[in-house]
Amino acid sequence: IESGRSDRDYFFPHSGSGLVSMSRERTAIPELIDATGMDYHELNEIILNRLRAGEKAVHAINVNGQRYMGVNMPVGSKLIIYGTPGNCLGNFNNGGEIVVHGNGEDDIGDAMYSGRIVIHGDARDVLGQALQGGSILVKGNAGNRAVIQMREYRDRQPYVIIGGRVDDYFGEYMAGGVAVVLGLGALDKDYGGQMVGNFVATGMLGGKIYIRGKARKDSLGLVPPKIDVLNYLEFQMIEGRLEAEVFKRISLKDELSVDYLKAELPVELVAKVARFYEGKYTLPLSVQYGELSNDDMELLEPKLREFFNEFKLSEEILQKVLTSKFTKITPRAKTPTPGAPPPQAEE
């Protein structure tokens, strides 16, 4: 159980709901839909009827928690929202574009096939769940379990770029696609923390995660409870397989990473203790920290330029991001257990 983030002063600042700028522009946009007092069913029916009638772009103002907006949008159509849409925005989107001048709530872009969702504020939990194609751009922050079960198929490679920070379980069971956390407005203020919560990439199977700045190793994957590891090591000490002084030194550590234990434990215990860190929920990860490689730049720069152009951020900030150091996370094949038979070929 986590208490949730509290250092909101370091979050990426955004422009708010967008209602002020909308009031300046509304006279130039015909037939605005005023969502004041509408339930979600009524609002969505009006939007879809107009899009299906051939309108390429529909504007809705004073949106306040109405769910399922943008579901079943026609290919090539556009929905511009001023306010805060409710849960399940753009679920199963297949070629439409949704722009939110404000914040989004839970479950944005669930199982989206293609298209584009742009959030000018923050997004909350389960952003881009099972995302299969297209892109989601969030200027601000995202909550827990963003991009879980994200996947790709053939030429469909989804992208999610978050300008601020994310909470726990980012990239859980991720199986494809590219997810980026930029930490704008936080790293640049010498913020002492990191841009992601705990349990990043837990059960990750595929895809690539890029986190601007250095992510702590103890926040990646599902680290086993310290008490479980110490109980096992205490038993090994009682059995005479571990020196008491080594056990005491280990027990005084705040966090027990597998790399630390490998350096401290006798060789014959390393493989046994490593099993606590490798299992169904703790698949091995490849973690690199450094500047973007040429391959990384080829993968990221076009989408980052799209992000910066969308939110009217400066070229100077973009260049600062492109020359920053990132934590890059990808899944890593398990090392075969010594003496284990080779895997059998499928018939």
Side-chain angles (χ1 to χ4, degrees), residues 5 14 16-17 63-67 69 81-90 98-109 117-128 136-144:
R5 59 191 184 186
H14 60 81
S17 68
V63 174
N64 187 20
Q66 288 93 343
R67 296 172 286 169
M69 296 187 70
I81 297 170
Y82 292 84
T84 303
N87 293 356
C88 306
L89 173 74
I98 302 170
V99 179
V100 178
H101 294 277
N103 299 320
E105 295 186 359
D106 294 348
D107 204 33
I108 295 172
I117 298 178
V118 176
I119 309 293
H120 280 257
D122 290 339
R124 287 315 306 153
D125 295 345
V126 208
L127 171 75
I136 299 177
L137 310 179
V138 178
K139 184 180 182 184
N141 312 286
N144 296 301

Side-chain angles (χ1 to χ4, degrees), residues 16 33 69 97-98 148 229 250 284 324 343:
I33 300 173
M69 296 187 70
E97 181 176 5
I98 302 170
I148 69 171
V229 178
I250 291 174
S324 294

Side-chain angles (χ1 to χ4, degrees), residues 230-248 269:
L230 290 181
N231 284 342
Y232 179 76
L233 292 178
E234 185 176 21
F235 171 75
Q236 299 300 324
M237 181 186 68
I238 293 171
E239 292 292 308
R241 302 187 188 100
L242 181 65
E243 294 181 4
E245 187 62 32
V246 175
F247 175 77
K248 181 179 179 181
L269 289 182

Side-chain angles (χ1 to χ4, degrees), residues 319-341:
Q319 291 305 318
K320 186 171 185 177
V321 167
L322 291 174
T323 55
S324 294
K325 291 184 178 180
F326 281 76
T327 300
K328 177 183 175 181
I329 305 171
T330 55
R332 186 181 71 212
K334 282 190 174 182
T335 303
T337 304

Side-chain angles (χ1 to χ4, degrees), residues 10-195:
Y10 290 103
F11 286 6
F12 187 94
H14 60 81
S15 59
S17 68
L19 293 177
V20 175
S21 60
M22 183 68 239
S23 66
R24 299 193 195 105
E25 299 171 8
R26 62 182 302 167
T27 55
I29 301 172
E31 298 188 55
L32 293 168
I33 300 173
D34 189 342
T36 303
M38 288 189 189
D39 66 25
Y40 74 90
H41 186 273
E42 179 186 8
L43 176 59
N44 289 331
E45 187 174 25
I46 293 172
I47 291 171
L48 289 179
N49 285 341
R50 286 177 52 170
L51 290 175
R52 287 168 178 165
E55 291 189 39
K56 290 299 183 182
V58 170
H59 295 73
I61 63 172
N62 298 321
V63 174
N64 187 20
Q66 288 93 343
R67 296 172 286 169
Y68 308 120
M69 296 187 70
V71 176
N72 294 327
M73 286 176 61
V75 175
S77 60
K78 186 172 183 178
L79 173 61
I80 301 96
I81 297 170
Y82 292 84
T84 303
N87 293 356
C88 306
L89 173 74
N91 285 189
F92 309 108
N93 184 19
N94 192 14
E97 181 176 5
I98 302 170
V99 179
V100 178
H101 294 277
N103 299 320
E105 295 186 359
D106 294 348
D107 204 33
I108 295 172
D110 194 332
M112 185 167 89
Y113 296 99
S114 64
R116 192 165 175 261
I117 298 178
V118 176
I119 309 293
H120 280 257
D122 290 339
R124 287 315 306 153
D125 295 345
V126 208
L127 171 75
Q129 175 176 212
L131 183 66
Q132 303 175 64
S135 58
I136 299 177
L137 310 179
V138 178
K139 184 180 182 184
N141 312 286
N144 296 301
R145 289 191 161 91
V147 303
I148 69 171
Q149 301 174 351
M150 183 175 171
R151 74 282 307 271
E152 61 186 67
Y153 179 68
R154 293 184 176 174
D155 60 340
R156 288 184 175 177
Q157 187 177 49
Y159 279 77
V160 174
I161 301 178
I162 297 165
R165 300 175 57 202
V166 296
D167 289 332
D168 294 344
Y169 294 102
F170 182 69
E172 183 181 32
Y173 303 122
M174 184 173 164
V178 180
V180 185
V181 180
L182 296 178
L184 301 176
L187 284 178
D188 302 328
K189 292 183 179 180
D190 296 323
Y191 172 64
Q194 60 176 9
M195 300 305 104

Side-chain angles (χ1 to χ4, degrees), residues 245-263:
E245 187 62 32
V246 175
F247 175 77
K248 181 179 179 181
R249 186 164 62 246
I250 291 174
S251 64
L252 293 175
K253 288 283 290 184
D254 291 333
E255 300 288 345
L256 298 181
S257 70
V258 67
D259 291 335
Y260 170 75
L261 292 173
K262 284 179 179 179

Side-chain angles (χ1 to χ4, degrees), residues 170-337:
F170 182 69
E172 183 181 32
Y173 303 122
M174 184 173 164
V178 180
V180 185
V181 180
L182 296 178
L184 301 176
L187 284 178
D188 302 328
K189 292 183 179 180
D190 296 323
Y191 172 64
Q194 60 176 9
M195 300 305 104
V196 291
N198 294 316
F199 318 119
V200 177
T202 299
M204 184 182 185
L205 298 168
K208 295 179 175 66
I209 293 175
Y210 293 87
I211 302 165
R212 185 165 167 248
K214 191 168 187 177
R216 300 190 318 270
K217 284 188 176 181
D218 61 6
S219 67
L220 308 181
L222 185 61
V223 179
K226 179 181 176 181
I227 188 65
D228 290 353
V229 178
L230 290 181
N231 284 342
Y232 179 76
L233 292 178
E234 185 176 21
F235 171 75
Q236 299 300 324
M237 181 186 68
I238 293 171
E239 292 292 308
R241 302 187 188 100
L242 181 65
E243 294 181 4
E245 187 62 32
V246 175
F247 175 77
K248 181 179 179 181
R249 186 164 62 246
I250 291 174
S251 64
L252 293 175
K253 288 283 290 184
D254 291 333
E255 300 288 345
L256 298 181
S257 70
V258 67
D259 291 335
Y260 170 75
L261 292 173
K262 284 179 179 179
E264 289 285 343
L265 294 174
V267 175
E268 59 271 17
L269 289 182
V270 168
K272 294 179 179 180
V273 174
R275 292 172 187 166
F276 283 83
Y277 294 80
E278 295 181 4
K280 180 179 179 181
Y281 305 108
T282 52
L283 300 173
L285 300 171
S286 172
V287 181
Q288 300 174 330
Y289 176 65
E291 295 179 352
L292 297 173
S293 67
N294 290 336
D295 289 341
D296 296 330
M297 291 288 282
E298 184 178 350
L299 187 69
L300 294 181
E301 186 173 5
K303 286 295 181 179
L304 287 176
R305 287 195 174 278
E306 178 186 338
F307 180 93
F308 273 69
N309 289 337
E310 179 67 41
F311 298 119
K312 297 180 173 57
L313 302 175
S314 71
E315 177 71 18
E316 180 183 358
I317 300 175
L318 173 60
Q319 291 305 318
K320 186 171 185 177
V321 167
L322 291 174
T323 55
S324 294
K325 291 184 178 180
F326 281 76
T327 300
K328 177 183 175 181
I329 305 171
T330 55
R332 186 181 71 212
K334 282 190 174 182
T335 303
T337 304

